[in-house]
Amino acid sequence: MKYSILTLFPNIIKSYISESIIKKALEREKIELEIIDIRDFTKLPHNQVDEYQFGGGRGMVLMCDPVVSAIESVKTENSIVVLTSPQGKTWNQNIAKSFATQYNHIIIVCGHYEGFDERILKYIDVEISIGDYVLTGGELPSLIMLDSITRILPGVINTESHEQESFENNLLDYPVYTKPHDYRGDKVPEVLLSGHHANIQKWRDEQQLISTFNKRPDLIDESKLNKIQIQLLENLRKSKGDK
Ligand SMILES: C[S@@+](CC[C@H](N)C(=O)[O-])C[C@H]1O[C@@H](n2cnc3c(N)ncnc32)[C@H](O)[C@@H]1O
């Protein structure tokens, strides 16, 4: 997978990718990343890339030409061009998966200031938001996309790790514990110490459903549950109704 991140603040991107799993993915050539400084594409003096908006109003607006020229410098027929924007479709694990499987070059454009000249949208394939709040720039959203796509690419992390994570089968992950066995009187569930793999798996399946029911009931998709989980779901609903 190749990413091209177009930004006015390349150091924000450089800082994040120089650590941990993303750093390893780059070193092992599982991903390729080019960081494009939008200022390199302005033809105006003093590296100017933004201007006041027509009609008056607050804040500076990124101009079309440097952004479009930067996109065109990296775009090929296999690229998808993503604009980070609070007005976009909300990013989630399913979109991350579809990007990981459908594309091999993702161009991510990071805004700043008051946003972009609206005419930039003609050069964009999809607008993506990371949630209903406004950030100062698109750098964090671009890194969120890069990170969530990269960790599900083959060979980046252990497949088992992400196949059992939250949002797989529309369920949250099961609770996990590590040493010590007893922390201030709070003990690790006995089943996890039993060495009985089938019982551990059963407990984890149940816990996934219980966590999702309690924290994110909106996620549950009954068509993806096994028989035991469906029975448990009925019981959870009944006991909630009883209260
Ligand atoms: C201050 S914001 C501009 C917000 C714009 N005036 C609006 O209200 O829609 C500057 C830039 O940060 C990025 N950004 C801010 N919030 C975002 C979010 N929730 N998701 C994705 N990108 C975001 C976008 O690139 C945006 O152009």
Side-chain angles (χ1 to χ4, degrees):
M1 175 70 77
K2 178 177 174 183
Y3 305 92
S4 304
I5 299 187
L6 280 49
T7 173
L8 295 172
F9 298 94
N11 287 338
I12 300 178
I13 310 295
K14 284 181 195 158
S15 154
Y16 187 76
I17 61 157
S18 61
E19 302 283 347
S20 186
I21 289 172
I22 302 300
K23 178 185 176 194
K24 283 194 190 127
L26 282 162
E27 285 169 355
R28 293 183 192 150
E29 298 182 356
K30 301 290 177 197
I31 59 170
E32 194 187 328
L33 170 65
E34 59 183 349
I35 304 170
I36 306 291
D37 188 339
I38 297 170
R39 287 189 198 279
D40 291 342
F41 292 84
T42 182
K43 298 175 188 82
L44 298 174
H46 312 297
N47 290 333
Q48 186 187 351
V49 289
D50 54 346
E51 252 306 351
Y52 292 104
Q53 54 183 300
F54 284 121
R58 67 214 142 82
M60 303 299 280
V61 175
L62 281 169
M63 291 185 287
C64 289
D65 191 55
V67 178
V68 173
S69 301
I71 293 171
E72 287 173 348
S73 76
V74 290
K75 189 172 155 69
T76 69
E77 55 188 26
N78 298 318
S79 314
I80 176 160
V81 186
V82 181
L83 184 72
T84 55
S85 163
Q87 302 177 19
K89 191 172 172 175
T90 310
W91 188 249
N92 63 30
Q93 189 71 8
N94 282 339
I95 307 180
K97 267 193 213 165
S98 72
F99 271 53
T101 49
Q102 284 176 33
Y103 305 109
N104 50 33
H105 182 208
I106 303 171
I107 300 171
I108 309 177
V109 187
C110 306
H112 230 88
Y113 314 123
E114 205 42 53
F116 301 91
D117 184 310
E118 190 70 8
R119 291 167 291 184
I120 284 171
L121 290 180
K122 284 201 181 135
Y123 303 86
I124 299 297
D125 297 313
V126 59
E127 281 180 85
I128 293 286
S129 164
I130 56 158
D132 289 346
Y133 39 82
V134 180
L135 299 164
T136 52
E139 286 72 21
L140 289 173
S142 74
L143 289 168
I144 284 169
M145 285 181 239
L146 176 143
D147 189 303
S148 53
I149 296 168
T150 300
R151 63 196 307 286
I152 52 182
L153 293 174
V156 173
I157 59 169
N158 183 330
T159 318
E160 213 180 285
S161 300
H162 65 76
E163 278 180 353
Q164 296 202 342
E165 273 176 335
S166 292
F167 309 111
E168 281 302 318
N169 289 327
N170 287 53
L171 293 173
L172 300 180
D173 202 357
Y174 49 77
V176 290
Y177 299 83
T178 186
K179 288 178 183 173
H181 166 234
D182 184 336
Y183 180 68
R184 299 184 178 183
D186 200 356
K187 296 198 176 91
V188 171
E190 281 304 321
V191 64
L192 297 178
L193 310 172
S194 67
H196 192 300
H197 296 299
N199 284 352
I200 292 172
Q201 191 56 51
K202 183 169 171 280
W203 181 86
R204 287 178 169 165
D205 289 350
E206 287 170 2
Q207 292 300 317
Q208 277 197 281
L209 187 61
I210 292 169
S211 283
T212 317
F213 183 80
N214 289 331
K215 297 180 192 174
R216 290 290 307 276
D218 56 300
L219 287 177
I220 294 174
D221 176 353
E222 287 185 41
S223 69
K224 292 183 176 166
L225 300 180
N226 63 35
K227 274 189 193 159
I228 298 171
Q229 287 173 320
I230 288 177
Q231 184 58 53
L232 176 59
L233 181 62
E234 276 173 25
N235 294 343
L236 288 168
R237 282 178 177 150
K238 265 190 216 150
S239 70
K240 199 175 178 195
D242 289 347
K243 279 179 191 160

